Every structure is written in structure tokens, then in C-alpha cells.
Amino acid sequence: MAASPSTARAINDRLALRLLQDEGPLTAAQLKTLTGLSRPTVADLVERLRGSGLVHVVGEAGAERRGPNAKLYGIVAGRAHLAALDVRTRSVSVAVADLLGTTLAEASAPVGDDGGTGPAVEKAVALLERTVKEAGVDAPHSVAIGAPGLIEPVTGELRDSTGLPAWHRRLVAVLQDRLPARVLVENETNLAALAELREGAARDREDFVLLWLGQGVGAAVVLDGRLRRGASGGAGEIGFLPVPGTSGLPSATGCDGGFHELACTAAVEALAREHGLDPATALASGHEPFLDAVARRLAVGAAAVAAVLDPGCVVLGGETGHSGGAALAARVEAELAALSPLRTEVRATALGDAAVLRGALLTARDAAQEDLFPQGRQGRPGETRGKGPGGAVPKDGETPPRRAPDREARRGGSRRRQGP
């Protein structure tokens, strides 16, 4: 079924905005090439976007050639502002950014567990308010919170889980009540995976699993470029995975006896002490027997992931993945190759401790764009399902040219990759 003129305009406008965001400022000619639309259609959409206050002229291109310079168009970064929170057991980190994702201010502070009675929540709210003020922002349009625990897939709420501070759930409720912003909450491991997919170690992958290796152990599953949460939001609860080498079996109320017992920070630190190493520096020490021992443990969990999902790539995140780096990832890959017939590449996180906060900013930006960008089916570079190159919709009688070069093709990546 052909798209209506208004729907076609919305699709094309949205695609142009995505390209401007991903590629940076572009000329009308570059937008024409990337979308496959005609020059008049591109001129129309540029004027619509300028009139809506979403796009403005940021400079000129073509000074090296004869004739008038071409105008460079870019997104109005200050049209909306975003805030992100990385909520840990005893600390909170905050970042404030513009619509392009440029960080304007960030801060962190310790927050003790008060049993959900109030002080911890007020400290976290005060930290957010100070950081927003330091960024020179009146109020954020969207706020995304990354926290440990399960997210209810229907309501989007953080579940009341045993072992997690009660103030986490209260913080979400307080921010939703006090702020005029759209407030979202997501599992921290899922946010880290989103950041690695968009900007980190998995930029060239559409299938991968992120193993979060910190005080807690979890996984995020990305298949066909989309985050998979599972029927109850529990996809990736790998800490509960029954594995050999533990004291017993995990239970419905605790992951002792599961993969968590082998791979959490406390377990890795204990292993370092067994090798006579300082736990604070052991993973970066280059001590081969210790790294080999850690790799054997991690490969057990990675082998289970590979056997069930065959993701082709595992990214090691969290404290252990960041500190162990490429040396640990290479060892885990070698151990995994001996355990599984399925070829699986293992990579270290490219974003380290910043992955959760960055993923939260990306989530907040997506939410703002849903409100601000023209509505319609979201096009993707290289997609041609009944439309012109780049997912654009040609006007009636307009013949789309051959597929335009797209960003992922130029970078050698998958054309189907997209965010969740």
C-alpha cells in the first residue's frame, strides 16, 4: 500500500533528521544522495525542518570549488536537553546533554542505603538538580535511569527485588512525580549493551551478548540489532545459570551456586589473592596464570550463551571486562573455542564504566526524538522495502535512483543494525 503524502513527508523528514544526527551537518546535495530523493523533495523537507525549529544552517561547504558555497544543515542541539542517571547500590552518577548527545555537565556522589526512607532519594534528586543547573538547562525534556534489577516489560517499572536497595524504586517514583520530564528506567546491563551497540565495541555487530561482570553478574542480549528483554524482562539473568565449579545450585531467591559465584567481583578478587596478587591491580597485571584462571571461569558462562543463542560475539563489560581488557578477552575466546563448536568472538568493552550512563543518555535522546521528530515509520540507511534508497518514500511519479551509499556500508558494518 502506498504511503499517503503526509505519511511520506513524515518518514522522509525523520530519516533526514537521523542522517543529520548520525553524520553531522550535511548539505542538501548530500541529503539527496543519502536518501535517494529528488532535489525538490529534499528542498521541501529542509524548509519544513527549518520552519519547525529542528534544523538550522551551521555553515557552508564547497569553498574549494567554483560557484556559490552550499549551506550546511545541522540539528538544533539546544531544542531539547536530556538527563541520565546511573544508580548503583551506594552511589549515583548524573549526566546532562543536548539533543545531539553532547555532554554539558556530569557529576557523581555516594548515596548510602537508607532502607527507602528518604535521605538517599533526596541526595540523588539534589545531585540531578545541581547538575542540570551547572549545564545551564532550565529542565530536561527526558530523563533515563539505569539501575540493577528487572524491569517490568508491560509497565516499564523497576521491580521490587530482594537484595536491591528500596530507595531505587522510590527514586524513580519521586522523579516521575516532581519533574515535568518524561522519566524512563532500564536495567543497567541493557543500557550498557545499547551504548556498546551504538558507540562501542559492538558497532559493527547486529548479534551479540554483553556479559556484565561486576559486583553483580548479568547479560544483555542483542539479536538482529534489537535488545531482547524476554517475556518477564529477565532475559540475561546469567548470574542464576547453573554451572560446574560452584558450591551447589542457585535458587529462585539467590544466585549463590550459579555463574555469579564464579564471576562476580568478589570471586575474582578472591582468586587474585589465591595467586598472591593485589585484587585492585590483578586484572591489569599481566599475570598469565591468574588471567588464564579467570578466563576459564568466564568461558563457562560464555559457552552456555553461545550454545543457546549463537550470537557470534560476546562483549565483556563491567569492572572485570574493563580492567581485563583485550588480554582477558583473547583468553576467554581461546577457552570458549575449546568448549563450543560455535565460533564466537570475544571483545572487551570499549566504553568501560561509562557504558551505563552513555546508554541512559541514548535512551533519553530516543525518547525526546519520539516527541520532537515528525512521526512516521523510522527509516534506516540502506533499507528499500518498497521505498527509495535509504528508506525514503518517493513522490508519485518520482523514480528512485539506484541504492545510495549508506553509512554502515561505508564503514563495513551491517545494514540492518538499529537501536532498540
Side-chain angles (χ1 to χ4, degrees):
M1 180 182 294
S4 68
S6 61
T7 299
R9 285 194 295 270
I11 292 171
N12 294 339
D13 290 357
R14 193 178 184 89
L15 174 60
L17 286 163
R18 290 287 182 179
L19 288 168
L20 288 168
Q21 183 180 71
D22 292 343
E23 299 287 349
L26 297 169
T27 65
Q30 289 170 328
L31 281 170
K32 175 182 178 296
T33 299
L34 290 168
T35 61
L37 293 169
S38 68
R39 189 180 302 276
T41 301
V42 170
D44 288 345
L45 74 83
V46 167
E47 286 307 308
R48 281 196 303 275
L49 296 177
R50 291 185 68 183
S52 67
L54 289 168
V55 166
H56 61 164
V57 177
V58 297
E60 294 183 341
E64 69 285 351
R65 60 177 175 81
R66 293 182 179 179
N69 295 341
K71 294 178 180 178
L72 275 170
Y73 299 100
I75 289 177
V76 179
R79 177 65 187 274
H81 292 94
L82 324 164
L85 290 85
D86 179 4
V87 180
R88 303 295 175 95
T89 304
R90 296 184 180 276
S91 67
V92 175
S93 296
V94 176
V96 178
D98 61 26
L99 191 56
L100 286 175
T102 302
T103 300
L104 304 175
E106 54 187 323
S108 298
V111 178
D113 183 6
D114 59 11
T117 58
V121 171
E122 293 305 321
K123 288 181 182 178
V125 172
L127 180 66
L128 173 60
E129 292 173 342
R130 287 198 304 272
T131 309
V132 168
K133 185 176 180 179
E134 288 172 7
V137 174
D138 292 331
H141 177 284
S142 302
V143 178
I145 304 167
L150 299 180
I151 307 299
E152 173 58 49
V154 176
T155 65
E157 295 179 351
L158 183 64
R159 287 190 186 177
D160 187 7
S161 305
T162 58
L164 294 178
W167 66 269
H168 282 192
R169 294 185 77 241
R170 178 164 171 73
L171 172 62
V172 175
V174 168
L175 290 178
Q176 289 172 334
D177 182 60
R178 293 189 188 179
L179 297 179
R182 183 176 177 184
V183 179
L184 309 101
V185 61
E186 178 60 276
N187 173 267
E188 60 180 356
T189 306
N190 286 346
L191 289 178
L194 171 61
E196 297 288 358
L197 173 68
R198 299 269 191 93
E199 302 178 347
R203 287 188 68 181
D204 61 338
R205 307 292 305 200
E206 61 178 8
D207 300 311
F208 75 99
V209 170
L210 172 73
L211 293 187
W212 184 262
L213 306 166
Q215 294 181 4
V217 174
V221 179
V222 176
L223 300 176
D224 294 326
R226 302 184 72 85
L227 187 65
R228 307 296 177 172
R229 293 178 174 82
S232 62
E237 284 296 310
I238 198 173
F240 287 86
L241 183 72
V243 293
T246 62
S247 59
L249 291 174
S251 70
T253 58
C255 53
D256 291 340
F259 182 56
H260 172 90
E261 187 176 309
L262 293 182
C264 69
T265 297
V268 174
E269 290 176 345
L271 188 61
R273 286 188 286 269
E274 290 176 16
H275 284 79
L277 302 173
D278 179 358
T281 59
L283 285 164
S285 68
H287 191 276
E288 294 190 2
F290 168 67
L291 290 177
D292 288 341
V294 175
R296 283 191 292 272
R297 290 186 174 193
L298 300 185
V300 171
V305 167
V308 174
L309 298 175
D310 188 19
C313 179
V314 170
V315 176
L316 305 182
E319 286 179 61
T320 298
H322 180 45
S323 298
L328 179 60
R331 284 173 164 80
V332 174
E333 183 173 324
E335 294 287 342
L336 181 54
L339 293 176
S340 172
L342 303 175
R343 178 174 174 77
T344 307
E345 184 180 3
V346 180
R347 302 176 179 179
T349 170
L351 300 174
D353 294 340
V356 175
L357 203 58
R358 190 61 194 167
L361 277 177
L362 289 169
T363 297
R365 189 176 75 180
D366 288 346
Q369 289 168 350
E370 286 298 321
D371 290 341
L372 298 173
F373 286 11
Q375 295 302 304
R377 182 185 175 282
Q378 181 177 329
R380 291 173 286 159
E383 184 176 64
T384 57
R385 298 176 186 173
K387 300 174 174 61
V393 180
K395 288 183 177 179
D396 291 341
E398 182 177 309
T399 302
R402 295 179 180 273
R403 181 194 299 269
D406 60 84
R407 180 168 63 102
E408 297 305 329
R410 291 199 302 274
R411 291 177 179 168
S414 164
R415 290 189 179 90
R416 292 195 296 157
R417 181 173 68 78
Q418 65 173 359

